[in-house]
Amino acid sequence: MQPVKTSLFELFKIGPGPSSSHTIAPMRAGNDFLARCKALPTEDLRLAERIQVRLLGSLSATGKGHGSDRAALGGLLGHVPESCPADLLDRLAEPAEPYRIDLGAVTIPLSRTDVVFGAIHHKHPYSNTMLFRLHGGGRVLLEQEYYSVGGGFLQWKGWAEPETGSPLHPYSTMLELRASLAGSGLRLHDLIMRNEQAVTGRGEREIVEGLDQLVEVMLSAVDNGLNTEGVLPGSIGLNRKAPTLLLRSCEKGIRDRFLLELNSYAVAAAEENAAGHCVVTAPTAGASGVLPAVIKVMLDGFKLPRMAVRRGLMAAAAVGFLCKHNASIAGAEVGCQGEVGVASSMAAAMLAYGFGHDFRVAENAAEIALEHHLGLTCDPVDGLVQIPCIERNAMGAVKAYNAYLIAAAELPAHHVVDLDRAVHAMAETGRDMNTKYKETSRGGLAVSMVNC
Ligand code: SF4
């Protein structure tokens, strides 16, 4: 099996919510298609008249609520997720607003209505498929089929693994990672750091700075959410509740202060994501409240040093890499077990490792958290990443903490199930899961809410 070659900064990406597969990847696809159009021969470009985009699979089923059409439009207008304005999706809300795309030799019109929602069931290899076409002179001048494969990762027809360096300590399963750690004598964070350097060519300092920037963006999402009241965008009219949760935790004599704080942090970041604001995919935007909440607790609650958070983040990444490599982190592929389930598993590993426990405790914590998310469906109400997603992030954070407590209390050797088995079970369960529970809003809570 191919070794894990995912970079820390591919797994943890900065970009606009509410959904990495539905906003970050479509924006990247739009931006990539723009570049491909500009690279056409001038004689073809002069014929260009319009671009049409068709969103398929769950991008069609829930893309409207997730803002997928606006994200694709933003990419075609030259924006990229990591640097786009925080309110870009709000700015692109007007369906008929005319825009122009400068292709160099020619400028062509574009509006949100050029991005259409197509078939939910189709024959393309990935559920979340996007078809981009440039029309002109009575023919298709350029077409490209893109796949949003989860966590904001983008592939396309003919895509091949990009040429990168090879990991110094290759592994494709937790079993191999364990063997690699034992063989090299390295600690987990050192191994992840060395692999990151070898794969990306980045220096240690650059990687550390990148990790610190991710932490800052995560903490900003929590702080912004804690300081923002009102109603979230979309048809539900859902009130934000993070500030109230935090306020409640400050009441005199309150029991469960810690739990209320942890909940408020996760809800705060998830509400910012639901508002389409800037988050870090961890591993996805929909699940982007779990790790920030745990990081805030580690830093503010337990006063752990930044170094512990950095190391914990690398342990979390190892778990995320393995889940992505051997199963999926896309709700459209395996349901919410691949999003909040994996986020919770990553956060449990981060807590254990950040608190200085042995790698095996971190693995066991990750396994416990993932095991108890197995089978979790994805059924966002009205296609919005709000119900059940926001509270589910809080559940994921609390479950991560509980998984860490259990793993830290038991002898690591007494733990029976290893992480590889839980990841395998997630992949199997995801394969067997009916499509209506995989980010299509056609089953579960999404349907119950409409019916009641
Ligand atoms: S239910 Fe889970 S997987 Fe589905 S959109 Fe919400 S957070 Fe993502």
Side-chain angles (χ1 to χ4, degrees), residues 352-366:
Y353 202 71
F355 275 118
H357 287 279
D358 176 59
F359 161 69
R360 283 306 293 263
V361 177
E363 179 194 343
N364 292 345

Side-chain angles (χ1 to χ4, degrees), residues 74-285:
L76 287 168
L77 293 172
H79 294 285
V80 288
E82 52 274 23
S83 59
C84 74
D87 62 346
L88 179 66
L89 298 190
D90 297 341
R91 288 192 210 172
L92 301 176
E94 180 51 52
E97 180 78 26
Y99 303 97
R100 296 202 71 79
I101 306 182
D102 183 3
L103 296 178
V106 66
T107 303
I108 60 170
L110 183 75
S111 83
R112 201 174 140 192
T113 53
D114 292 312
V115 186
V116 298
F117 298 101
I120 295 170
H121 300 284
H122 56 78
K123 294 212 162 65
H124 299 281
Y126 289 94
S127 166
N128 286 334
T129 293
M130 296 165 271
L131 307 174
F132 281 70
R133 289 200 179 100
L134 174 65
H135 299 269
R139 62 189 171 97
V140 175
L141 300 171
L142 179 69
E143 64 183 325
Q144 186 64 53
E145 187 172 312
Y146 292 95
Y147 314 117
S148 170
V149 297
F153 286 86
L154 185 70
Q155 295 180 9
W156 47 86
K157 197 171 187 175
W159 180 88
E161 191 83 44
E163 282 295 317
T164 58
S166 296
L168 273 184
H169 303 281
Y171 64 92
S172 62
T173 61
M174 185 53 90
L175 183 70
E176 291 175 6
L177 177 56
R178 251 185 264 132
S180 204
L181 288 166
S184 64
L186 290 170
R187 290 175 300 173
L188 177 63
H189 63 275
D190 288 323
L191 185 147
I192 297 293
M193 174 62 84
R194 289 188 189 195
N195 277 359
E196 182 73 16
Q197 288 174 286
V199 168
T200 65
R202 295 188 196 210
E204 183 170 344
R205 189 183 171 133
E206 192 185 346
I207 294 166
V208 166
E209 285 172 0
L211 289 174
D212 287 350
Q213 190 200 0
L214 292 172
V215 170
E216 286 313 314
V217 176
M218 287 185 189
L219 292 175
S220 292
V222 174
D223 289 342
N224 292 340
L226 290 175
N227 288 299
T228 310
E229 294 183 332
V231 177
L232 287 166
S235 52
I236 303 176
L238 189 67
N239 278 292
R240 287 179 180 248
K241 60 184 160 212
T244 317
L245 279 165
L246 185 64
L247 212 59
R248 182 114 177 85
S249 78
C250 300
E251 283 175 11
K252 201 167 166 223
I254 189 87
R255 290 190 318 248
D256 312 317
R257 185 185 310 278
F258 170 77
L259 273 179
L260 276 167
E261 281 175 354
L262 183 57
N263 275 298
S264 73
Y265 300 159
V267 167
E271 285 176 348
E272 278 299 282
N273 175 64
H277 296 163
C278 194
V279 293
V280 175
T281 62
T284 65

Side-chain angles (χ1 to χ4, degrees), residues 2-126:
Q2 288 288 313
V4 167
K5 285 177 105 180
T6 312
S7 158
L8 291 166
F9 303 103
E10 289 174 317
L11 186 70
F12 299 121
K13 287 184 291 294
I14 298 169
S19 165
S20 42
S21 53
H22 285 64
T23 44
I24 293 178
M27 190 180 288
R28 290 187 59 212
N31 196 263
D32 183 85
F33 192 71
L34 175 67
R36 288 175 194 255
C37 289
K38 285 181 173 175
L40 284 174
T42 309
E43 59 268 29
D44 280 351
L45 269 181
R46 289 219 172 94
L47 298 173
E49 291 163 4
R50 66 186 279 245
I51 287 175
Q52 196 188 38
V53 184
R54 188 168 290 271
L55 305 175
L56 307 178
S58 88
L59 288 175
S60 173
T62 59
K64 198 167 176 197
H66 285 62
S68 305
D69 52 344
R70 286 173 279 154
L73 181 65
L76 287 168
L77 293 172
H79 294 285
V80 288
E82 52 274 23
S83 59
C84 74
D87 62 346
L88 179 66
L89 298 190
D90 297 341
R91 288 192 210 172
L92 301 176
E94 180 51 52
E97 180 78 26
Y99 303 97
R100 296 202 71 79
I101 306 182
D102 183 3
L103 296 178
V106 66
T107 303
I108 60 170
L110 183 75
S111 83
R112 201 174 140 192
T113 53
D114 292 312
V115 186
V116 298
F117 298 101
I120 295 170
H121 300 284
H122 56 78
K123 294 212 162 65
H124 299 281
Y126 289 94

Side-chain angles (χ1 to χ4, degrees), residues 18-19 66 284-287 330-332 335-340 376-380 384-390 392-393 437-439:
S19 165
H66 285 62
T284 65
C336 199
Q337 53 175 354
E339 296 206 11
V340 171
L376 191 65
T377 57
C378 168
D379 49 1
L384 296 165
V385 191
Q386 298 182 5
I387 300 174
C389 317
I390 293 170
R392 188 161 288 173
N393 275 265
Y437 299 116
K438 295 198 263 193
E439 214 167 359

